Amino acid sequence: ADTRDHIFPKNLFPRPLPSNLPTAPSCINCNNSLSDDEELFRVLVTTGSAYETASGRRVWDERVRPSLQQNRRGFKALLRRLVTEVQLPDGGAALALKIDRERVNRVLRKIAKGLYYLDTHEPLPENAKLLFKYDEPRKLIEPPLDEAIKGAKRTVLGDNVIAYWRNIIKDDPSNSMTWLLFYNVHAFLI
């Protein structure tokens, strides 16, 4: 590691950045290699209901919109490929952003590795298996997961931009569960 990387992409936060953003050691190539994935992740988690939150709207207006206007590295073309029309229950139609799970999972993997490092001060073992679940927040904490989250410590970063809970098995810290909640809307379980 020749640099430090923010565990949670700093592009998710409105300016000024919170002073308590956790970092972990990283090599410069790894640090820079996820930039496009993190930008796509930011678009994903700031759309829909997240835009209704003050932080989500600020990030969209201050960071996403200018990025789209600059069309950095063909980002508009990428988003066009991911936008699709969906049918609504009332018979109408709306535009939706398809989730590129491979790219989202790379960002979630980075977050999981960083949080593991914060807990253990060791890199995540190379053979560790990471499982990802995307869903509505209430579905990720209903039984039996509600019992696991009760024992987990909740940490909030920014103005409710990110909340996360970690439940770690004491004898085996590589066996853990992490709930991530972005803008009180988008939830992931790792």
Side-chain angles (χ1 to χ4, degrees):
D2 49 10
T3 187
R4 294 196 68 83
D5 192 9
H6 288 91
I7 292 171
F8 294 97
K10 62 184 178 184
N11 70 7
L12 297 174
F13 297 89
R15 292 183 179 103
L17 294 177
S19 60
N20 64 339
L21 293 181
T23 63
S26 174
C27 73
I28 193 82
N29 289 338
C30 293
N31 192 339
N32 294 331
S33 69
L34 289 176
S35 294
D36 290 342
D37 294 338
E38 288 177 346
E39 191 160 347
L40 183 62
F41 186 82
R42 175 180 61 188
V43 169
L44 172 71
V45 298
T46 57
T47 57
S49 298
Y51 185 79
E52 305 297 323
T53 68
S55 295
R57 187 171 25 266
R58 280 189 57 209
V59 168
W60 185 270
D61 292 343
E62 295 172 6
R63 292 177 169 245
V64 176
R65 185 171 283 133
S67 179
L68 290 172
Q69 289 168 341
Q70 295 166 5
N71 196 22
R72 190 173 79 90
R73 290 182 280 205
F75 196 63
K76 267 194 221 181
L78 170 65
L79 286 180
R80 271 192 225 106
R81 288 192 304 272
L82 295 176
V83 172
T84 186
E85 188 172 297
V86 295
Q87 297 302 310
L88 299 174
D90 66 3
L95 294 178
L97 186 63
K98 291 184 284 187
I99 297 174
D100 184 336
R101 289 187 186 254
E102 183 178 326
R103 295 182 86 164
V104 169
N105 287 353
R106 284 196 293 257
V107 174
L108 294 174
R109 179 172 284 106
K110 173 196 146 176
I111 292 169
K113 289 171 71 174
L115 291 174
Y116 180 85
Y117 179 83
L118 281 185
D119 292 335
T120 65
H121 302 289
E122 297 286 336
L124 184 70
E126 288 297 320
N127 63 350
K129 290 185 172 73
L130 298 176
L131 307 172
F132 306 102
K133 182 164 175 53
Y134 306 34
D135 221 325
E136 295 176 37
R138 67 181 173 274
K139 289 185 180 179
L140 291 180
I141 56 174
E142 64 187 15
L145 296 178
D146 62 337
E147 289 302 316
I149 203 170
K150 284 179 187 173
K153 178 184 167 217
R154 180 175 191 248
T155 303
V156 177
L157 300 171
D159 185 22
N160 281 316
V161 170
I162 297 171
Y164 68 93
W165 297 259
R166 298 256 305 138
N167 198 331
I168 303 160
I169 306 300
K170 288 185 183 195
D171 296 336
D172 181 10
S174 64
N175 190 359
S176 62
M177 296 177 79
T178 303
W179 290 264
L180 302 169
L181 183 61
F182 296 87
Y183 306 99
N184 282 322
V185 174
H186 297 287
F188 301 90
L189 174 62
I190 304 171

